[in-house]
């Protein structure tokens, strides 16, 4: 599961890390509380040049007659993505990297307020999450939309939540983006060795209106 994220890198730094040409309308950074339906930073490949682009976080199938025409699809399960009518064409033809500094996950215990944790790569590098995307053409202009691909939690994540975004290492980016030919399917399980850091943070991030760097500050 991935239901909230933070992005702190400046646009030029993201463009350099991913060797991508940045669009002119990228979301402002830093943003410590990126929520579903907001624009996120996405890397796509094509015509010999990667692009760093904004996309709506919430994949919209072509048959939705409005943005709220069905469930909000912010995640796509790797185990079923190839079979789901909403996702199967996109995972073959329109894969992307969804860029974040980290994401939030909530540990839920019956009878208690869900406890948020902020999850980052232990090496401090940006998190490139496997994603899928497609344009939804029933808006006034085509709207690029995306979803994060998730898999079962690794051993480090399991005490907090049973799902984890598929986090790709730099050597895997070309294959996922389709630059290195076919055979990307195994990458959707390749997260066991990614070293992650888990920071217990304030429950103020439970509100989608919360803002500011304090959201990622550790608490006891």
């Amino acid at each position: 599961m991935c239901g909230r994220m933070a992005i702190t890198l400046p646009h030029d730094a993201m463009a350099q890390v991913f060797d991508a040409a940045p669009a002119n309308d990228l979301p402002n950074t830093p943003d410590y509380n990126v929520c579903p339906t907001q624009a996120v930073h996405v890397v796509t490949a094509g015509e010999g040049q990667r692009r760093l682009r904004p996309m709506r976080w919430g994949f919209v199938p072509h048959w939705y007659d409005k943005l709220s025409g069905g469930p909000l699809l912010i995640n796509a399960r790797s185990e079923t993505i190839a079979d789901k009518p909403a996702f199967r064409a996109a995972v073959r033809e329109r894969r992307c990297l969804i860029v974040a500094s980290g994401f939030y996950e909530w540990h839920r215990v019956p009878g208690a307020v869900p406890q948020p944790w902020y999850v980052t790569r232990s090496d401090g590098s940006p998190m490139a999450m496997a994603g899928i995307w497609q344009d939804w053409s029933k808006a006034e202009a085509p709207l690029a939309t995306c979803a994060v691909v998730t898999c079962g939690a690794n051993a480090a994540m399991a005490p907090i939540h049973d799902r984890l975004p598929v986090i790709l290492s730099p050597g895997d980016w070309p294959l996922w983006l389709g630059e290195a030919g076919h055979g990307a399917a195994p990458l959707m399980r390749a997260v066991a060795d990614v070293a992650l850091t888990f920071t217990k943070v304030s429950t103020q991030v439970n509100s989608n209106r919360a803002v500011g760097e304090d959201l990622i500050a550790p608490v006891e």
Side-chain angles (χ1 to χ4, degrees), residues 15-16 110 116 180:
Q16 183 175 4

Side-chain angles (χ1 to χ4, degrees), residues 107-122:
H107 184 220
R108 301 178 187 276
V109 176
V113 175
Q115 174 59 55
W117 292 78
Y118 182 54
V119 185
T120 58
R121 289 187 63 114
S122 297

Side-chain angles (χ1 to χ4, degrees), residues 108-198:
R108 301 178 187 276
V109 176
V113 175
Q115 174 59 55
W117 292 78
Y118 182 54
V119 185
T120 58
R121 289 187 63 114
S122 297
D123 61 9
S125 62
M127 189 173 287
M129 296 180 284
I132 55 173
W133 71 278
Q134 76 174 17
D135 286 332
W136 184 64
S137 61
K138 296 178 183 177
E140 291 183 2
L143 177 66
T145 70
C146 66
V148 176
V149 180
T150 68
C151 60
N154 61 15
M157 186 71 188
I160 296 174
H161 198 275
D162 62 355
R163 303 294 295 175
L164 178 68
V166 173
I167 302 166
L168 299 175
S169 298
D172 295 325
W173 299 346
L175 186 56
W176 183 255
L177 291 173
E179 298 167 330
H182 302 290
L187 297 179
M188 293 190 285
R189 300 184 296 273
V191 297
D193 296 331
V194 175
L196 299 173
T197 295
F198 300 83

Side-chain angles (χ1 to χ4, degrees), residues 33-185:
N33 194 4
V34 182
C35 302
T37 76
Q38 293 181 343
V40 292
H41 297 76
V42 174
V43 176
T44 59
E47 300 178 357
Q49 174 67 67
R50 290 180 184 171
R51 297 174 59 199
L52 179 64
R53 310 167 51 186
M55 290 191 186
R56 177 190 188 266
W57 183 17
F59 189 96
V60 183
H62 65 83
W63 59 82
Y64 281 21
D65 58 0
K66 56 184 178 180
L67 290 176
S68 58
L72 179 60
L73 304 175
I74 61 171
N75 298 144
R77 295 174 69 96
S78 61
E79 298 90 339
T80 57
I81 194 171
D83 300 317
K84 292 287 187 181
F87 301 139
R88 60 192 178 197
V91 76
R92 290 194 306 267
E93 303 165 7
R94 293 180 301 278
R95 297 189 297 270
C96 62
L97 305 175
I98 299 175
V99 183
S101 300
F103 67 93
Y104 299 94
E105 192 52 84
W106 281 260
H107 184 220
R108 301 178 187 276
V109 176
V113 175
Q115 174 59 55
W117 292 78
Y118 182 54
V119 185
T120 58
R121 289 187 63 114
S122 297
D123 61 9
S125 62
M127 189 173 287
M129 296 180 284
I132 55 173
W133 71 278
Q134 76 174 17
D135 286 332
W136 184 64
S137 61
K138 296 178 183 177
E140 291 183 2
L143 177 66
T145 70
C146 66
V148 176
V149 180
T150 68
C151 60
N154 61 15
M157 186 71 188
I160 296 174
H161 198 275
D162 62 355
R163 303 294 295 175
L164 178 68
V166 173
I167 302 166
L168 299 175
S169 298
D172 295 325
W173 299 346
L175 186 56
W176 183 255
L177 291 173
E179 298 167 330
H182 302 290

